[in-house]
Amino acid sequence: HSLLIYLRAAWKRHHPEQPSEALDNLLRQGFPPQRWRPAADALGCLLDTDPPRCLIVDDVHHLEGEALSLLEYLVQFSPASLGWVLLGRESVEFDFLPSWRMRCWVCETGVAQLKFQTEELLALGLTPEQIEATGGWPMAVDACRRSGEADSDPDRLLAQVWKGLPDDLRQFLSRCSVFEYLSPPQALQLCPELDAQSLLQRAAEQ
């Protein structure tokens, strides 16, 4: 199961000393998509560490079917020492979440918290037309303030942000865009004449 493999790889990258034979054997043997529970339990044992750790799963809105059920199971039954951060364009609604909310075990940040409020945008100097055009989204607001124009078209906003980046950072990002994940050694190989380590840090800050 791809999600199991990704989570195992992410965890082992930071905890290579932890034994994972039980999970590895199950993954090598293979199993039908709906028979993931033994492997999920084996992963849960691997995730039990001291001190507490946290797993971040991005683009959760892309998960569906058995993959989403697997994530729900892992979040609900993972060790108490493990925290989860789930990021996505839409909130997931797991069956156990209502009871967790009552116990204050969940911190949720939605669209209302991510967007600028009208009074905040007015304080930043945006006009009512610009506020309507940007919708309050930080990237659109930043592009609008950089250009001085109210433009809500995503392609044009991206072009404005891209144009505002330094030449070396644009060159670096263009070369590395073919990779879904990029490590510092890979960046050094792709851009030997650039300060790849510094550019990685700047890209993260941007």
Side-chain angles (χ1 to χ4, degrees):
H1 201 292
S2 297
L3 181 58
L4 283 167
I5 294 172
Y6 290 147
L7 291 176
R8 177 210 174 276
W11 193 258
K12 290 288 286 185
R13 186 180 305 165
H14 296 282
H15 302 282
E17 75 287 351
Q18 287 190 259
S20 59
E21 288 80 6
L23 175 59
D24 294 342
N25 289 336
L26 288 168
L27 292 175
R28 277 194 297 268
Q29 293 170 10
F31 48 87
Q34 68 276 13
R35 301 294 297 276
W36 46 258
R37 187 160 297 187
D41 290 337
L43 177 62
C45 294
L46 179 65
L47 300 177
D48 192 3
T49 62
D50 184 33
R53 294 287 188 265
C54 183
L55 267 177
I56 301 173
V57 183
D58 198 1
D59 290 335
V60 175
H61 58 279
H62 289 308
L63 298 179
E64 57 184 15
E66 295 299 330
L68 188 59
S69 298
L70 167 61
L71 181 62
E72 179 175 8
Y73 181 85
L74 288 171
V75 173
Q76 185 175 10
F77 297 109
S78 60
S81 60
L82 181 70
W84 292 84
V85 177
L86 306 182
L87 306 173
R89 296 177 185 174
E90 300 173 358
S91 299
V92 293
E93 281 301 327
F94 296 147
D95 291 340
F96 63 85
L97 279 181
S99 63
W100 279 31
R101 290 186 182 109
M102 291 181 62
R103 295 176 171 86
C104 297
W105 290 355
V106 182
C107 178
E108 297 176 280
T109 302
V111 171
Q113 290 77 38
L114 294 173
K115 294 169 64 174
F116 283 108
Q117 302 301 309
T118 300
E119 56 271 18
E120 295 174 318
L121 295 171
L122 290 172
L124 290 172
L126 271 69
T127 66
E129 292 77 14
Q130 290 172 324
I131 292 173
E132 183 179 359
T134 61
W137 293 108
M139 179 179 174
V141 171
D142 181 62
C144 181
R145 296 186 71 200
R146 287 171 184 263
S147 66
E149 299 177 359
D151 189 347
S152 59
D153 180 83
D155 293 332
R156 291 189 62 184
L157 287 174
L158 178 60
Q160 290 170 11
V161 174
W162 181 256
K163 185 178 179 181
L165 296 177
D167 290 339
D168 59 345
L169 185 55
R170 281 190 291 179
Q171 183 180 358
F172 174 75
L173 292 174
S174 294
R175 293 190 192 180
C176 298
S177 62
V178 296
F179 291 92
E180 184 175 3
Y181 303 101
L182 186 72
S183 65
Q186 288 174 320
L188 288 170
Q189 290 179 349
L190 284 170
C191 310
E193 78 283 8
L194 299 175
D195 185 358
Q197 188 67 45
S198 173
L199 288 169
L200 272 177
Q201 182 63 36
R202 286 165 59 189
E205 292 172 354
Q206 289 284 344

